[in-house]
Amino acid sequence: MMRRVDVAVIGAGIGGLAHAWMAARRGLRVVLCERTAVAEGASIRNFGMIWPIGQPAGELYGSALRSRELWLDLHALGVLSAETCGSIHLAHRPDEMAVLEEFCARGTYDTRMLRPTDVTDRTPLANPNGLLGGMASPTELRVDPRTASARIAAWLVEKYATEVCFQTTVADVAERTVRASDGRAWSAERVVICSGSDLQTLYPDVLARSGLIACKLQMLRSAEPPPPTEPAPHLASGLTLRHYAAFRDCPSLAALQARVAAETPELDRYGIHAMASAFPNGDVTLGDSHEYGDAITPFDKSEIDDLILREAGRVFRITPERVTQRWNGIYTKHPSRPVFEVEPEPGVHVFAGMGGAGMTMAFGLADQCWNRWEGPTA
């Protein structure tokens, strides 16, 4: 039997949840379909970092801050915990310190430089050996990625009577009709496809021409002593400055990049940088790496894990013997856009490829979409 809804969203990762929420808060009837029993893609396999500091100044930074507001709304509503932990970028080399000082001197972001003792007073996880200083930002949040998606989905059901259909594989979308492999079907005024790293099932010809590329990351979790004060700030090493667009205009970045390429080319080969997120129970999520396209295989590389632990051990106080979990995740990214959006037929929207910034950007980007489509909420 054909069900009629206002909006059908496909994919219950953070992108799909963001669109389902933005539609539901406008009073629209929403069905959300997810092929697995729980969301198990990139949305649960990350640091849980809401990371505005990594976005370039301007529209994207504004979108990240809007996402931050919406995460804090969920926290205030009791849907989940969003810790206002902030972040500290660590400098253990002079070129890293130079980039941070240049970035902070712009005054574009709410940041301030820290002396080594300021850093270690804030977090015992920072390695004091060779520490030259750091840069603090208050805007970053921590959520538990392993539970956040499920909590948001359950809240959408309770708050808005959203129809959430897990273990529902959508086999076809045509003329705003969504058909599942089990025979169920929905007719919608608008369909939003947020299928994550799946570029083959729905509109594969469109996605094949999109320029999207898959990226695989490897991550680890270490069981360290609980932080003495909460919330513990996210930590990023100087290697991270190579990765995020916010730092690309810093004149000193080129020297840092050249030094890393000359001293440790293996880090560039696997796109490795060192970040750490310490949860209240002492679990520390560590990462990560970046392998793209044809370099991706189903098998993790022990060399990558070893390199992550080597670099993390240089800047963080962690114990490799306490590593309790290792995993990988795959997401898609576009080479020039923050997200790939296309309308392959009227009323059907593909929303894919937020790269590694889904947790940071999904709510803000979805809010922008719905403001265009339906106008702002009251």
Side-chain angles (χ1 to χ4, degrees), residues 212-216 290-297 331:
L212 290 169
I213 186 170
C215 176
K216 176 184 176 183
H290 301 81
E291 295 180 280
Y292 297 96
D294 294 339
I296 296 173
T297 74
Y331 57 73

Side-chain angles (χ1 to χ4, degrees), residues 29-337:
R29 292 169 300 156
V30 180
V31 61
L32 174 63
C33 297
E34 166 59 45
R35 67 173 56 188
T36 56
V38 294
E40 58 183 32
S43 296
I44 70 164
R45 304 184 188 205
N46 56 75
F47 288 98
M49 292 177 171
I50 315 306
W51 194 252
I53 191 67
Q55 293 300 315
E59 183 178 353
L60 293 182
Y61 184 55
S63 294
L65 293 178
R66 175 60 178 149
S67 280
R68 180 184 190 272
E69 291 176 0
L70 291 164
W71 280 109
L72 291 175
D73 285 348
L74 292 177
H75 176 89
L77 291 166
V79 179
L80 47 72
S81 172
E83 296 180 87
T84 53
C85 58
S87 67
I88 300 176
H89 282 75
L90 305 177
H92 285 82
R93 300 288 290 264
D95 52 13
E96 298 167 355
M97 194 68 173
V99 173
L100 292 178
E101 288 175 338
E102 289 171 356
F103 183 87
C104 197
R106 292 177 182 173
T108 306
Y109 299 74
D110 183 9
T111 58
R112 64 185 180 93
M113 295 302 297
L114 302 176
R115 297 170 301 179
T117 53
D118 297 328
V119 174
T120 53
D121 285 347
R122 288 276 308 275
T123 171
L125 193 60
N127 188 349
N129 296 329
L131 181 63
L132 301 178
M135 184 185 76
S137 165
T139 54
E140 287 62 58
L141 307 177
R142 179 187 294 105
V143 300
D144 183 348
R146 302 185 182 193
T147 62
S149 294
R151 287 179 176 272
I152 295 169
W155 174 72
L156 289 174
V157 174
E158 177 185 356
K159 172 72 173 177
Y160 297 105
T162 300
E163 183 182 359
V164 177
C165 302
F166 287 105
Q167 294 183 297
T168 300
T169 299
V170 173
D172 181 68
V173 176
E175 298 180 345
R176 291 175 295 165
T177 295
V178 173
R179 299 185 184 276
S181 58
D182 61 8
R184 285 178 293 167
W186 296 266
S187 173
E189 295 300 311
R190 194 181 302 276
V191 179
V192 186
I193 299 170
C194 303
S195 49
S197 60
D198 178 4
L199 306 181
Q200 291 79 40
T201 303
L202 301 174
Y203 297 98
D205 54 337
V206 172
L207 291 170
R209 299 190 302 267
S210 66
L212 290 169
I213 186 170
C215 176
K216 176 184 176 183
L217 53 86
Q218 289 180 210
M219 300 183 70
L220 309 97
R221 179 164 284 195
S222 177
E224 304 292 338
T229 58
E230 297 180 18
H234 294 311
L235 297 182
S237 74
L239 293 173
T240 301
L241 303 174
R242 296 150 48 244
H243 184 71
Y244 285 104
F247 301 96
R248 288 178 186 167
D249 293 334
C250 293
S252 294
L253 182 62
L256 186 157
Q257 292 171 321
R259 188 258 302 167
V260 173
E263 291 182 357
T264 50
E266 66 275 15
L267 301 183
D268 284 343
R269 183 181 314 130
Y270 295 123
I272 289 172
H273 60 124
M275 303 180 79
S277 181
F279 288 81
N281 66 352
D283 283 344
V284 178
T285 299
L286 300 166
D288 59 359
S289 60
H290 301 81
E291 295 180 280
Y292 297 96
D294 294 339
I296 296 173
T297 74
F299 310 106
D300 289 353
K301 294 181 173 66
S302 58
E303 177 186 3
I304 288 178
D305 285 353
D306 292 343
L307 288 171
I308 291 172
L309 287 172
R310 183 191 79 186
E311 296 305 315
R314 290 177 176 175
V315 294
F316 310 137
R317 298 174 74 178
I318 54 126
T319 308
E321 291 77 19
R322 295 189 181 202
V323 170
T324 58
Q325 292 180 324
R326 302 166 189 258
W327 68 93
N328 69 61
I330 295 178
Y331 57 73
T332 57
K333 66 181 299 183
H334 193 274
S336 60
R337 305 184 198 175

